Tab-separated table of all heavy atoms in Angstrom:
chain	number	residue	atom	x	y	z
A	1411	GLN	N	17.198	7.743	31.436
A	1411	GLN	CA	16.464	8.670	30.587
A	1411	GLN	C	15.421	7.981	29.705
A	1411	GLN	O	14.335	8.493	29.539
A	1411	GLN	CB	17.452	9.438	29.677
A	1411	GLN	CG	18.350	10.397	30.431
A	1411	GLN	CD	17.585	11.532	31.070
A	1411	GLN	OE1	16.588	11.987	30.536
A	1411	GLN	NE2	18.040	11.988	32.224
A	1412	VAL	N	15.770	6.854	29.133
A	1412	VAL	CA	14.866	6.216	28.187
A	1412	VAL	C	14.733	4.742	28.512
A	1412	VAL	O	15.529	4.177	29.250
A	1412	VAL	CB	15.359	6.371	26.727
A	1412	VAL	CG1	15.454	7.826	26.346
A	1412	VAL	CG2	16.706	5.678	26.544
A	1413	ARG	N	13.739	4.140	27.931
A	1413	ARG	CA	13.493	2.719	28.090
A	1413	ARG	C	14.082	2.017	26.870
A	1413	ARG	O	13.716	2.304	25.740
A	1413	ARG	CB	11.988	2.486	28.177
A	1413	ARG	CG	11.566	1.102	28.617
A	1413	ARG	CD	10.036	1.072	28.616
A	1413	ARG	NE	9.526	-0.201	29.067
A	1413	ARG	CZ	9.142	-0.450	30.307
A	1413	ARG	NH1	9.277	0.487	31.219
A	1413	ARG	NH2	8.655	-1.624	30.635
A	1414	ASP	N	14.998	1.096	27.087
A	1414	ASP	CA	15.684	0.398	26.016
A	1414	ASP	C	14.827	-0.788	25.582
A	1414	ASP	O	14.710	-1.773	26.302
A	1414	ASP	CB	17.061	-0.074	26.490
A	1414	ASP	CG	17.818	-0.825	25.414
A	1414	ASP	OD1	17.430	-0.701	24.243
A	1414	ASP	OD2	18.784	-1.524	25.749
A	1415	VAL	N	14.213	-0.692	24.399
A	1415	VAL	CA	13.338	-1.740	23.909
A	1415	VAL	C	14.165	-2.736	23.116
A	1415	VAL	O	14.681	-2.437	22.047
A	1415	VAL	CB	12.223	-1.150	23.025
A	1415	VAL	CG1	11.308	-2.256	22.518
A	1415	VAL	CG2	11.429	-0.113	23.807
A	1416	ALA	N	14.314	-3.940	23.632
A	1416	ALA	CA	15.107	-4.965	22.966
A	1416	ALA	C	14.302	-5.587	21.835
A	1416	ALA	O	13.185	-6.047	22.035
A	1416	ALA	CB	15.512	-6.039	23.971
A	1417	LEU	N	14.876	-5.609	20.637
A	1417	LEU	CA	14.183	-6.120	19.462
A	1417	LEU	C	14.852	-7.357	18.886
A	1417	LEU	O	14.557	-7.736	17.759
A	1417	LEU	CB	14.128	-5.028	18.376
A	1417	LEU	CG	13.468	-3.711	18.752
A	1417	LEU	CD1	13.517	-2.753	17.577
A	1417	LEU	CD2	12.041	-3.929	19.206
A	1418	GLY	N	15.749	-7.979	19.620
A	1418	GLY	CA	16.496	-9.063	19.023
A	1418	GLY	C	17.279	-8.524	17.841
A	1418	GLY	O	17.958	-7.509	17.934
A	1419	ASN	N	17.144	-9.173	16.693
A	1419	ASN	CA	17.798	-8.692	15.474
A	1419	ASN	C	16.935	-7.725	14.691
A	1419	ASN	O	17.226	-7.409	13.539
A	1419	ASN	CB	18.179	-9.880	14.589
A	1419	ASN	CG	19.318	-10.683	15.181
A	1419	ASN	OD1	20.209	-10.138	15.819
A	1419	ASN	ND2	19.277	-12.001	14.999
A	1420	GLY	N	15.876	-7.217	15.316
A	1420	GLY	CA	15.058	-6.185	14.684
A	1420	GLY	C	13.669	-6.673	14.317
A	1420	GLY	O	13.274	-7.811	14.564
A	1421	LEU	N	12.917	-5.782	13.698
A	1421	LEU	CA	11.564	-6.101	13.263
A	1421	LEU	C	11.598	-7.032	12.056
A	1421	LEU	O	12.388	-6.841	11.139
A	1421	LEU	CB	10.829	-4.816	12.869
A	1421	LEU	CG	10.698	-3.742	13.955
A	1421	LEU	CD1	10.039	-2.507	13.375
A	1421	LEU	CD2	9.907	-4.275	15.114
A	1422	LEU	N	10.730	-8.015	12.076
A	1422	LEU	CA	10.640	-8.941	10.960
A	1422	LEU	C	9.734	-8.365	9.881
A	1422	LEU	O	8.586	-8.041	10.134
A	1422	LEU	CB	10.084	-10.282	11.430
A	1422	LEU	CG	9.861	-11.320	10.343
A	1422	LEU	CD1	11.174	-11.752	9.722
A	1422	LEU	CD2	9.114	-12.521	10.898
A	1423	SER	N	10.261	-8.229	8.684
A	1423	SER	CA	9.471	-7.766	7.549
A	1423	SER	C	9.233	-8.953	6.632
A	1423	SER	O	10.160	-9.447	5.989
A	1423	SER	CB	10.214	-6.659	6.795
A	1423	SER	OG	9.454	-6.202	5.698
A	1424	GLY	N	8.004	-9.440	6.601
A	1424	GLY	CA	7.679	-10.616	5.811
A	1424	GLY	C	6.870	-10.268	4.588
A	1424	GLY	O	6.758	-9.104	4.202
A	1425	PRO	N	6.280	-11.256	3.952
A	1425	PRO	CA	5.455	-11.006	2.767
A	1425	PRO	C	4.253	-10.141	3.114
A	1425	PRO	O	3.709	-10.230	4.200
A	1425	PRO	CB	5.035	-12.409	2.319
A	1425	PRO	CG	5.236	-13.265	3.513
A	1425	PRO	CD	6.324	-12.665	4.321
A	1426	SER	N	3.850	-9.291	2.193
A	1426	SER	CA	2.729	-8.389	2.415
A	1426	SER	C	2.040	-8.112	1.089
A	1426	SER	O	2.553	-8.458	0.025
A	1426	SER	CB	3.212	-7.068	3.027
A	1426	SER	OG	4.015	-6.356	2.097
A	1427	GLU	N	0.884	-7.487	1.155
A	1427	GLU	CA	0.194	-7.117	-0.077
A	1427	GLU	C	1.017	-6.125	-0.883
A	1427	GLU	O	1.040	-6.181	-2.115
A	1427	GLU	CB	-1.180	-6.546	0.242
A	1427	GLU	CG	-2.173	-7.583	0.740
A	1427	GLU	CD	-3.606	-7.107	0.656
A	1427	GLU	OE1	-3.980	-6.513	-0.375
A	1427	GLU	OE2	-4.343	-7.335	1.620
A	1428	ALA	N	1.707	-5.203	-0.190
A	1428	ALA	CA	2.554	-4.251	-0.907
A	1428	ALA	C	3.681	-4.968	-1.639
A	1428	ALA	O	3.984	-4.676	-2.803
A	1428	ALA	CB	3.117	-3.218	0.069
A	1429	LYS	N	4.323	-5.916	-0.972
A	1429	LYS	CA	5.404	-6.662	-1.615
A	1429	LYS	C	4.887	-7.503	-2.765
A	1429	LYS	O	5.546	-7.632	-3.799
A	1429	LYS	CB	6.113	-7.544	-0.588
A	1429	LYS	CG	7.009	-6.775	0.364
A	1429	LYS	CD	7.736	-7.730	1.290
A	1429	LYS	CE	8.681	-6.958	2.216
A	1429	LYS	NZ	9.381	-7.852	3.150
A	1430	ALA	N	3.710	-8.098	-2.591
A	1430	ALA	CA	3.140	-8.900	-3.663
A	1430	ALA	C	2.871	-8.033	-4.887
A	1430	ALA	O	3.122	-8.456	-6.032
A	1430	ALA	CB	1.860	-9.572	-3.185
A	1431	TRP	N	2.379	-6.824	-4.686
A	1431	TRP	CA	2.131	-5.913	-5.804
A	1431	TRP	C	3.445	-5.530	-6.477
A	1431	TRP	O	3.545	-5.522	-7.708
A	1431	TRP	CB	1.408	-4.669	-5.317
A	1431	TRP	CG	1.163	-3.667	-6.411
A	1431	TRP	CD1	0.150	-3.697	-7.331
A	1431	TRP	CD2	1.944	-2.506	-6.700
A	1431	TRP	NE1	0.263	-2.623	-8.172
A	1431	TRP	CE2	1.342	-1.872	-7.815
A	1431	TRP	CE3	3.071	-1.937	-6.128
A	1431	TRP	CZ2	1.859	-0.699	-8.360
A	1431	TRP	CZ3	3.587	-0.767	-6.668
A	1431	TRP	CH2	2.991	-0.165	-7.770
Side-chain angles (χ1 to χ4, degrees):
Q1411 292 295 327
V1412 300
R1413 192 181 182 96
D1414 179 17
V1415 180
L1417 303 179
N1419 289 326
L1421 301 176
L1422 177 66
S1423 180
S1426 67
E1427 289 197 44
K1429 286 183 178 179
W1431 178 81

